[in-house]
Amino acid sequence: MRTVGVFVVGASLLARLLGGHPADRWPTPPQTGRGDFMNKALVASIVLALGFTLSACSGSGTPVAAEPTIVATTPAAVAVPKPGDTITTMDQVNAAKAAGLGFYPLTTGGIVFDKTQPLPDAIKADITAPVVQAVTQSEGGATEAVWQAVASASDNASTALGKNVIVIYGALASLTPGGEAAMYYSAYGAGGDSDLGGGSVSTSRDAAIAFTQTWISGQPDATNYEVVVAN
């Protein structure tokens, strides 16, 4: 709009200089003939040049960056993992959770499981691995390190699965001071419940498992328990 204004003023001034009232003209010596024509042409050139100069200077002088082109893309569909699958990306984890499946984290990735079904063997093996290692390192004895491994395995798995995980394990122990050591099985879970721990002690693995199942059935949230057997 400023450019147009300059040319309007220039045209008005040019009209006055070339043919307007004598009082509007610049004071110049009277000229006739070719000299008069050249004088008028010179004035016209100056006015037009002024118009172009003001037009060029009227902008901001700041280059305008081109608007970036944004291309809409559709994320690739992620196949819903199946129970037992090992997955490694957050997209797969989200797809599993959206389908109502559970996810058990491993050191790398994790395992998908059906919350309504028994845990896959791969998850059970991961939960009990530290316990098996501790028992092996203690040469089968029921040491403090073994008990700590069992407690940590139960607590960590319970947090990961959102359930109460009970670990049943066996180790060499004696029920009397100085007595002969024998293989005893016991259950640990539910934050170290003493009734569960003490009542499940047996030289029979099957008897320890049976006691644990009976104890669970008497709990108000019985469906929220998982039992894993370490050895």
Side-chain angles (χ1 to χ4, degrees), residues 73-192:
T73 59
T74 302
V78 177
V80 178
K82 302 183 300 296
D85 285 352
T86 299
I87 57 179
T88 57
T89 70
M90 282 306 301
D91 286 341
Q92 291 174 314
V93 173
N94 293 335
K97 290 182 177 180
L101 299 172
F103 172 73
Y104 178 81
L106 300 173
T107 303
T108 300
I111 302 173
V112 178
F113 66 95
D114 186 337
K115 298 178 182 179
T116 65
Q117 300 297 320
L119 288 176
D121 291 341
I123 293 180
K124 292 180 179 180
D126 187 79
I127 293 172
T128 60
V131 178
V132 174
Q133 181 180 19
V135 172
T136 299
Q137 291 176 343
S138 71
E139 298 182 347
T143 63
E144 179 69 16
V146 171
W147 186 88
Q148 289 290 347
V150 172
S152 294
S154 173
D155 294 344
N156 293 339
S158 296
T159 299
L161 297 173
K163 291 186 173 186
N164 293 310
V165 177
I166 296 176
V167 178
I168 295 177
Y169 68 104
L172 293 171
S174 173
L175 299 183
T176 58
E180 185 178 352
M183 178 66 73
Y184 283 91
Y185 295 90
S186 180
Y188 177 93

Side-chain angles (χ1 to χ4, degrees), residues 168 185 200 202-213 229:
I168 295 177
Y185 295 90
S200 63
S202 173
T203 55
S204 166
R205 181 192 295 113
D206 291 342
I209 293 173
F211 179 90
T212 301
Q213 296 290 4
V229 180

